[in-house]
Amino acid sequence: MTATPDDCLARNDWICGAYLSSRGQILLDAVLQHLRLTGLAVLIGLALALPLAVVARRWRWASGPVLAVTTILYTIPSLAMFSLLLPLYGLSASLVVAGLVLYSLTLLVRNILAGLRAVPEETRQAARGLGYGPVRLLLTVELPLALPAAMAGLRIATVSAVSLVTVGAIVGFGGLGNLIYAGMNTYFKAQVLTASVLCVVIAVVADLLLLGVQRLLTPWTRAARG
């Protein structure tokens, strides 16, 4: 009878400390790429979603087209989305970021718009009575009151982006997804499990950090609950 190897890598165990110690730099590089792609996509998505939501709130005729287009984008399967963007960006990190930005727009636009619409009309009227112009009203009254809904959308968009980055492995820019797909092709158990767990950890940590930011930026919500 053949003896069982003492090396967990040789046994191809799911949990293997030797994998972590021998491939620490590979894991770190994958995590950093995952974070860069996620962060860049969410920031660009937020920069695009905010003016779109403001336009949809200010001019009612624009609300339908804005919501319709962003919703249609969200229904496109990820592989099809990357294929449609391929002629524009080629096999690059920009291709993955562009796809994630388009997916994030639905969640961000809808939640920001919902937050803006929830601002009481009497609050707007009171601010106008104090001499607030449209820009000052938006920046100092409407957006702060819309923050809880906007941050909820940002949290969902961020967690979704963390997940969708892995699909970028099909073009070589998937962060931890590169390790997951390579491990699945070779049935490398430790690599698949480790990379998958790290994806979950990134998503949970990102959500908790954004929740903390939301609580810091909206202290009146805590007072209302108290």
Side-chain angles (χ1 to χ4, degrees), residues 166-180:
T166 57
V167 184
I170 61 173
V171 295
F173 294 93
L176 291 165
N178 294 338
L179 300 182
I180 294 173

Side-chain angles (χ1 to χ4, degrees), residues 52 81 112 153:
L52 286 175
M81 177 70 81
I112 296 173

Side-chain angles (χ1 to χ4, degrees), residues 199-223:
C199 282
V200 175
V201 170
I202 290 174
V204 172
V205 171
D207 187 57
L208 291 176
L209 287 175
L210 289 173
L211 178 60
V213 171
Q214 177 181 339
R215 289 175 63 85
L216 288 175
L217 294 177
T218 58
W220 62 88
T221 59
R222 300 198 302 273

Side-chain angles (χ1 to χ4, degrees), residues 15-154:
I15 300 174
C16 181
Y19 174 78
L20 295 174
S21 59
S22 63
R23 290 163 173 80
Q25 188 60 48
I26 293 175
L27 288 169
L28 178 61
D29 291 342
V31 168
L32 292 177
Q33 184 184 78
H34 209 105
L35 293 174
R36 284 195 299 269
L37 293 172
T38 301
L40 188 58
V42 172
L43 288 175
I44 295 175
L46 185 60
L48 294 175
L50 181 57
L52 286 175
V54 171
V55 167
R57 170 65 183 87
R58 194 164 299 277
W59 293 285
R60 291 188 178 275
W61 60 266
S63 176
V66 168
L67 292 177
V69 171
T70 55
T71 300
I72 290 172
L73 290 173
Y74 197 75
T75 64
I76 301 175
S78 54
L79 292 179
M81 177 70 81
F82 289 156
S83 298
L84 292 173
L85 295 173
L86 187 59
L88 293 175
Y89 297 100
L91 298 175
S92 65
S94 299
L95 171 66
V96 180
V97 172
L100 295 177
V101 167
L102 295 178
Y103 279 128
S104 70
L105 287 179
T106 299
L107 300 169
L108 293 172
V109 169
R110 283 186 176 275
N111 280 270
I112 296 173
L113 180 57
L116 291 173
R117 285 176 171 172
V119 177
E121 186 58 33
E122 55 269 24
T123 302
R124 292 191 177 93
Q125 294 297 338
R128 293 190 186 101
L130 292 173
Y132 283 45
V135 176
R136 187 182 178 190
L137 176 64
L138 174 67
L139 295 178
T140 62
V141 177
E142 293 180 315
L143 285 180
L145 291 177
L147 265 178
M151 288 299 297
L154 181 60

